[in-house]
Amino acid sequence: MKRILLGQTPAAFLLEVLVRTVVIYLILVVSMRLMGRRMAKQVSRNELVALVSLAAAIGPAMQTPDRGLLPTALVALFVVGTQRALAHLSARNRRVEQIAQGDVTTLVADGCPDNRAISRALLSRDRVFAQLRSQGLEHLGQVDRLHLEANGAFSLVKAKDERPGLSILPAWDEDAHREQQEARDARACSGCGLVVKRGEEPPACDRCGSSAWARAVGGPPRQEQSQPSRGDGRPAGARQPPAATSTAPG
């Protein structure tokens, strides 16, 4: 039972484990502090590699009595130094930043998904549409740009003026599709979202080659028709207020 609980180490090593843990904890805190504030929120590929390297270095030093703390401190110093040097070079050289951290990928431009870019990013159209729906959008006409940042986050630029576009609602949600306002004079390519005038759909989409066309939805809000004026500032058909009557004393 003693061997199961303590292994081949003496009981006094338990106290040493506590000391080692405190020292390694302080090393990690200082390392994270030196590698910048981004480590506390979102990490890039290089920062993730740095974290994994630190995790691999601290394990043996915490649990194995024949491993000293100095190698762990040296590994942490090397990882922090390399990360800081790479961050410094990336800030000064755009090319180094692209190689080390990647670049921004535009997934949707002017209401049209870039299917090749989506495929290169190892995403699906459904995943992209789900991201747009999470921002409260219902069709591609509401999108100006959707970018995939180097750290894997999505950034959305909404269209200033809403235009007709391909619906991004799930195909099975027929009730939601029926509630969408259809653009009467526009059609949308099912493959890339390209919008053309109704009746002018080519046999194959000029942008992606698809021959499937779907209804376009959305567009500018309908203007309410103003009622003609009566000449006294009130719309036609408005009731006149009752004339004031005065009763003279008899």
Side-chain angles (χ1 to χ4, degrees), residues 40-178:
K41 188 176 181 181
Q42 293 178 336
V43 296
S44 65
R45 296 184 184 93
N46 298 327
E47 293 162 345
L48 181 61
V49 171
L51 285 177
V52 173
S53 300
L54 288 175
I58 66 176
M62 292 180 64
Q63 303 174 13
T64 307
D66 58 346
R67 299 290 182 90
L69 292 176
L70 184 58
T72 300
L74 291 177
V75 170
L77 182 62
F78 173 78
V79 169
V80 172
T82 302
Q83 176 61 28
R84 287 182 65 88
L86 193 57
H88 181 73
L89 290 175
S90 299
R92 290 177 172 270
N93 191 306
R94 173 66 175 168
R95 181 62 177 169
V96 174
E97 182 182 19
Q98 289 178 342
I99 295 175
Q101 301 184 15
D103 203 359
V104 179
T105 301
T106 301
L107 303 178
V108 180
D110 297 326
C112 294
D114 188 335
N115 295 324
R116 293 184 179 179
I118 293 174
S119 179
R120 286 196 301 269
L122 302 180
L123 296 171
S124 66
R125 288 205 342 157
D126 290 340
R127 174 69 179 89
V128 173
F129 288 177
Q131 176 63 30
L132 294 175
R133 290 195 298 270
S134 70
Q135 300 295 322
L137 304 183
E138 295 184 358
H139 62 86
L140 293 175
Q142 299 170 311
V143 183
D144 184 30
R145 294 289 188 275
L146 178 67
H147 301 296
L148 179 63
E149 304 295 342
N151 62 358
F154 293 93
S155 59
L156 171 67
V157 180
K158 296 182 180 180
K160 294 182 180 179
D161 297 320
E162 183 178 327
R163 54 188 180 271
L166 182 68
S167 174
I168 59 175
L169 298 181
W172 51 264
D173 197 347
E174 298 179 357
D175 292 338
H177 279 280
R178 281 194 293 266

Side-chain angles (χ1 to χ4, degrees), residues 195-217:
V195 176
V196 299
K197 290 185 177 181
R198 182 181 292 272
E200 298 182 4
E201 305 95 310
C205 176
D206 297 333
R207 191 169 183 269
C208 69
S210 174
S211 59
W213 296 90
R215 67 173 191 151
V217 299

